Amino acid sequence: MNMAFPEKEKVTDTLEDSAAFTTQEPMAQVLSGSEVLVSGGEQETERLACTPLAPAHSLWTTDVRSSVKLRIDEGCQEEPITVHQMFKASVEKYGNLHALASKRTSKWEKITFLEYYQFCRRAAKSFVKLGLERFHGVAILGFNSTEWFFSAVGAIMAGGVMTGIYATNSPEACQYVASDSKANIIVVENQKQLDKILQIQDRLPHLKAIVQYSGRLQQKVSNLYSWDEFLELGLDVSDKQLDDIISGQRANQCCILIYTSGTTGKPKGVMLSHDNITWTANRASRVGDMQPADTKQESIVSYLPLSHIAAQIYDLWAGIQWGELVYFAQPDALKGSLITTLKEVCPTSHMGVPRVWEKMMEKIKQGISQCGYVKKKLMTWAMSVSLEANRGCMLKDDEKPFLLSLADSLVLQKLRAELGLGCCQKFFSGAAPIGSETVQFFLGLNIHLYEAYGMSESTGPHFMSGPNAYKLPSCGKVVPGCRYKTANVDSEGTGEICFWGRNIFMGFLNMEDKTREALDEDGWLHSGDLGRIDEEGFLYITGRIKELIITAGGENVAPVPIEEAVKRELPIISNAMLIGDKRKFLSMLLTLKCCDNAETLEPTEELSMEAVEFCRQLGSQATKVSDIVEGRDKEVHRAVQKGIDRVNSAAISNAQRIQKWTILRKDFSVSGGELGPTMKLRRPVVIEMYKKVIESLYQVVSCS
């Protein structure tokens, strides 16, 4: 295979201790069948002593039944293994350790890794009994639980392809995923989720059974089973029958589908192989310093949607790989109970999407604002000491200044404990870009948020921050064993970030055109993200190609840096979205920080405590959004304009300045449709929803 790269592209070896390679050096070893093919050099074909792989002719496919060549580079020649092989190895090492913990009737009930494995086998046998066909789907719709894990692993053991469906999906969105994945079985959490499937089951020709894992069945429906009934079904399936299915699986075959959120079109089914999962679970965790259980068992809380690759790798697959103890949060975790669970569990590691960290930040700020004068001063002092000491770098214990140690022991330890993070050593943020204000705030609590950057198509993290790869405001360094290049690099060193490695997906299910768009002819995955990489190998994301605004004057504008600058200047702003594609000037939609409805998580009219405090400092008495919008509150509008002016003063050209802005009546939310399941801004959706508001900004020609 000829590995040639465009002239302007920078190609970098991702193993930190080795020099950059050129296109003349052996670029990659691609595994097909049981052979390692070394391309670009004169080396003989080598053979690995590993389980033979399924025959493959290409790095990608769109057929779920097909297999792919594996990208085996010289620096990552670990033997390819299946999910079952990974689990079996962990059971041999950690079998008697606790693996999963669920709270039932106010008591934590735990099972060991051996019991976990046995439950997965029971689920697998029941899937076989229900007629699960090879490479057909098992879709799981519900909140994180032991049953979710058993279903996921059991589906793979039984020869199916597991896929998660977001619990917030509409019946129509559920129907799309279930139909596209040819789901034979759908596992639902409760009656609420069951109702969605019952509405669409007539449109699911491959569906054979539905399993409900929580709550009693409220109705008798053909081929509907409770969890206990489901586990009983497979008792007469022999171990040999299941083992024969397992032994026929190969590391370069598909076992998981991750569906994209569909912000720019219909969702795409990202096909991930056994090797994608097992290799990534191994490699990525090392960067974050996750410890194997025979050294020190890590404990985590599972609460983020498992239909997303970030939570799935962190909670499920890395949990098996390293022998972690996974506690399951309550279904209302994001409605307020998460911190209660964290306080009970005291995890050693925690991951959140940016919005989760923002909510924690707001909780601490609210607590501080309610303290007396002396205590508030003490907290402010301690956080300023920590921020100053930690800004931009990691400090080893013997490097920490005395003042930081004093501030930490007197104040900051207690603040972290209030969040349930008193015993936590590792803090991760992923799935969406995190704002600098949030990162800086947690540095003030002596917490370094390790940002992970990747895609569903890269099985999660491709770049990661960690104890040995930390530099603000970067996303860290490339995961060892992976590679990157920057394509179409401009004069400032910014280009499109492209990925290569064992973590790169097999292809989009039944979407050849989309797969060819994502993967170039040499097999590199094009992220669509713009970024630059410094001389030390740290990555800085500057925006997305599809998000670039091209004004009527032909000026290219990256919206994210401008939006982040506005939020930094104006702590009352929750979301900021820049508008101006094919327009004569830039404008901006703003939303205010509000309180959420505790039950629905819908943003309310009530301003958050931080927003109210901002107003008070201006002399405004506003407590609701309606007090401010439409120019009713002159003080707040004046302050917003001054903040916009400060951002504009740093613009590199007049075309990059915000000329008009408006405050919307309601904050963006997942339920409202403006944000995706991982809190990413759905720009096309927002533009369509607020079409009339946007047009009104451009009705008056004055833009000087």
Side-chain angles (χ1 to χ4, degrees):
M1 185 172 63
N2 179 29
M3 306 299 290
F5 306 103
E7 202 172 312
K8 289 188 179 179
E9 292 174 349
K10 176 185 175 186
V11 184
T12 306
D13 192 338
T14 63
L15 300 178
E16 295 174 18
D17 296 330
S18 53
F21 63 85
T22 68
T23 55
Q24 282 72 45
E25 295 175 334
M27 162 57 197
Q29 300 173 335
V30 181
L31 196 62
S32 174
S34 59
E35 298 179 339
V36 178
L37 307 178
V38 184
S39 65
E42 298 178 355
Q43 294 166 277
E44 297 283 333
T45 296
E46 301 174 10
R47 290 185 177 272
L48 288 180
C50 62
T51 304
L53 301 182
H57 307 288
S58 174
L59 289 172
W60 62 269
T61 182
T62 60
D63 181 357
V64 74
R65 295 178 175 273
S66 295
S67 51
V68 293
K69 293 180 180 180
L70 300 182
R71 296 165 168 82
I72 308 289
D73 281 356
E74 292 176 350
C76 58
Q77 292 190 31
E78 291 99 332
E79 181 178 327
I81 60 173
T82 64
V83 165
H84 180 263
Q85 287 172 313
M86 177 178 74
F87 203 163
K88 200 73 187 297
S90 291
V91 170
E92 290 172 6
K93 288 185 285 187
Y94 315 127
N96 294 324
L97 293 178
H98 285 130
L100 306 178
S102 302
K103 195 169 187 182
R104 305 183 197 279
T105 61
S106 74
K107 182 182 178 183
W108 286 102
E109 297 180 2
K110 299 177 182 177
I111 64 170
T112 66
F113 274 92
L114 179 57
E115 292 168 327
Y116 180 7
Y117 175 76
Q118 290 169 339
F119 270 116
C120 291
R121 285 185 65 92
R122 282 192 66 181
K125 288 182 178 182
S126 294
F127 285 136
V128 171
K129 185 70 174 181
L130 286 171
L132 175 62
E133 300 171 58
R134 186 75 170 104
F135 296 113
H136 279 240
V138 172
I140 312 173
L141 173 61
F143 188 73
N144 311 18
S145 66
T146 54
E147 294 87 356
W148 211 109
F149 278 29
F150 299 155
S151 299
V153 181
I156 294 170
M157 284 183 176
V161 175
M162 182 274 287
T163 186
I165 301 179
Y166 284 108
T168 54
N169 270 14
S170 66
E172 290 70 28
C174 293
Q175 187 263 332
Y176 176 86
V177 172
S179 177
D180 195 56
S181 63
K182 295 184 178 179
N184 287 154
I185 296 111
I186 300 179
V187 181
V188 299
E189 177 186 0
N190 50 26
Q191 184 67 40
K192 177 182 177 182
Q193 303 298 356
L194 174 62
D195 287 342
K196 296 178 185 177
I197 304 306
L198 294 179
Q199 287 181 49
I200 59 168
Q201 64 176 336
D202 292 342
R203 288 177 272 160
L204 300 175
H206 301 281
L207 184 63
K208 298 181 179 183
I210 307 169
V211 179
Q212 183 177 320
Y213 65 78
S214 180
R216 290 185 178 181
L217 299 184
Q218 296 179 16
Q219 58 204 108
K220 187 60 183 172
V221 178
S222 176
N223 293 324
L224 169 64
Y225 303 90
S226 69
W227 183 256
D228 289 340
E229 290 171 341
F230 167 69
L231 289 183
E232 293 292 316
L233 289 173
L235 291 179
D236 61 348
V237 175
S238 69
D239 284 331
K240 183 182 183 305
Q241 184 178 350
L242 179 59
D243 288 336
D244 286 345
I245 295 170
I246 291 171
S247 64
Q249 296 170 17
R250 297 292 180 262
N252 59 336
Q253 293 174 329
C254 182
C255 65
I256 289 173
L257 283 170
I258 300 287
Y259 279 86
T260 63
S261 58
T263 53
T264 57
K266 63 182 180 180
K268 300 185 287 287
V270 177
M271 297 194 296
L272 299 179
S273 69
H274 289 264
D275 188 64
N276 286 151
I277 295 297
T278 57
W279 188 88
T280 304
N282 184 333
R283 282 297 183 119
S285 302
R286 293 183 189 178
V287 180
D289 198 34
M290 298 296 281
Q291 300 295 309
D294 48 9
T295 301
K296 176 190 175 183
Q297 189 177 31
E298 302 277 6
S299 58
I300 66 171
V301 173
S302 177
Y303 70 100
L304 293 173
L306 289 164
S307 40
H308 191 270
I309 189 60
Q312 207 176 110
I313 283 289
Y314 182 79
D315 297 6
L316 176 52
W317 306 119
I320 292 173
Q321 169 73 50
W322 298 109
E324 299 164 6
L325 173 52
V326 180
Y327 289 84
F328 291 100
Q330 298 302 305
D332 61 352
L334 294 177
K335 295 180 182 178
S337 71
L338 176 61
I339 289 178
T340 302
T341 302
L342 291 173
K343 285 181 177 180
E344 290 181 21
V345 170
C346 293
T348 62
S349 173
H350 187 64
M351 182 178 75
V353 296
R355 189 59 183 145
V356 168
W357 293 115
E358 288 168 12
K359 287 288 185 184
M360 287 186 171
M361 174 176 70
E362 290 165 9
K363 181 177 176 63
I364 288 290
K365 284 183 174 180
Q366 182 175 343
I368 292 173
S369 70
Q370 294 171 343
C371 291
Y373 178 79
V374 174
K375 193 173 182 180
K376 187 183 293 186
K377 278 289 184 184
L378 183 62
M379 289 181 176
T380 304
W381 165 79
M383 292 180 69
S384 64
V385 167
S386 178
L387 176 59
E388 186 60 34
N390 285 309
R391 186 177 275 139
C393 65
M394 290 286 295
L395 295 172
K396 296 178 181 177
D397 288 339
D398 57 359
E399 297 174 341
K400 291 181 179 177
F402 171 74
L403 268 183
L404 175 57
S405 299
L406 181 65
D408 196 70
S409 60
L410 287 177
V411 180
L412 303 180
Q413 282 181 0
K414 295 173 185 175
L415 285 176
R416 293 195 298 272
E418 281 297 308
L419 296 174
L421 301 175
C423 300
C424 200
Q425 300 296 314
K426 294 169 280 279
F427 310 86
F428 300 97
S429 179
I434 190 165
S436 59
E437 177 196 356
T438 309
V439 172
Q440 299 286 326
F441 178 84
F442 280 97
L443 282 179
L445 296 181
N446 207 9
I447 288 175
H448 292 80
L449 293 180
Y450 301 146
E451 190 166 5
Y453 163 70
M455 312 165 65
S456 299
E457 295 90 329
S458 63
T459 322
H462 200 88
F463 287 78
M464 278 187 70
S465 294
N468 300 310
Y470 188 82
K471 186 178 180 182
L472 293 179
S474 81
C475 302
K477 294 184 177 182
V478 76
V479 170
C482 298
R483 298 183 187 271
Y484 67 83
K485 68 179 181 181
T486 47
N488 302 317
V489 181
D490 65 18
S491 59
E492 297 178 355
T494 298
E496 183 183 11
I497 307 299
C498 303
F499 303 152
W500 173 280
R502 295 268 289 271
N503 57 333
I504 303 306
F505 77 137
M506 300 175 68
F508 293 122
L509 179 64
N510 302 325
M511 290 185 175
E512 184 170 338
D513 289 348
K514 294 295 183 182
T515 304
R516 289 185 182 277
E517 283 178 24
L519 297 171
D520 65 25
E521 60 184 15
D522 294 317
W524 285 86
L525 172 63
H526 287 245
S527 69
D529 288 315
L530 295 170
R532 62 179 180 83
I533 295 158
D534 69 15
E535 63 283 352
E536 296 178 82
F538 286 96
L539 170 68
Y540 303 82
I541 296 296
T542 58
R544 279 192 63 76
I545 292 174
K546 290 182 179 178
E547 288 178 354
L548 274 181
I549 291 172
I550 303 176
T551 66
E555 180 105 7
N556 283 15
V557 180
V560 175
I562 298 174
E563 291 162 353
E564 285 299 318
V566 168
K567 288 194 281 187
R568 278 197 304 272
E569 289 291 341
L570 296 165
I572 194 174
I573 299 300
S574 175
N575 284 284
M577 180 171 151
L578 198 66
I579 305 292
D581 198 47
K582 300 174 185 173
R583 305 279 191 172
K584 292 182 179 179
F585 60 89
L586 299 180
S587 60
M588 182 169 274
L589 303 180
L590 302 170
T591 69
L592 303 178
K593 289 182 178 176
C594 302
C595 299
D596 291 337
N597 181 296
E599 285 302 311
T600 65
L601 296 184
E602 282 261 4
T604 67
E605 258 269 287
E606 302 295 323
L607 294 174
S608 70
M609 186 162 289
E610 185 180 7
V612 170
E613 180 63 25
F614 179 87
C615 294
R616 293 293 176 273
Q617 291 175 1
L618 299 173
S620 164
Q621 299 303 307
T623 60
K624 297 180 179 180
V625 177
S626 56
D627 294 337
I628 295 173
V629 296
E630 297 176 353
R632 293 179 188 171
D633 194 305
K634 302 261 190 295
E635 296 300 328
V636 173
H637 276 252
R638 229 184 327 263
V640 171
Q641 185 59 59
K642 286 180 179 178
I644 298 286
D645 290 343
R646 290 192 294 272
V647 172
N648 284 341
S649 68
I652 59 175
S653 70
N654 191 55
Q656 304 244 359
R657 293 187 175 95
I658 304 161
Q659 304 289 358
K660 288 191 171 187
W661 53 269
T662 189
I663 299 173
L664 301 176
R665 291 177 172 275
K666 194 174 183 182
D667 194 8
F668 297 160
S669 65
V670 175
S671 56
E674 300 97 341
L675 304 179
T678 56
M679 307 297 177
K680 286 181 183 174
L681 184 59
R682 303 174 73 186
R683 293 177 189 271
V685 173
V686 174
I687 288 172
E688 182 62 30
M689 287 176 68
Y690 295 96
K691 188 188 299 183
K692 290 183 180 178
V693 175
I694 292 169
E695 288 304 321
S696 70
L697 292 170
Y698 291 93
Q699 282 176 358
V700 180
V701 179
S702 174
C703 59
S704 56

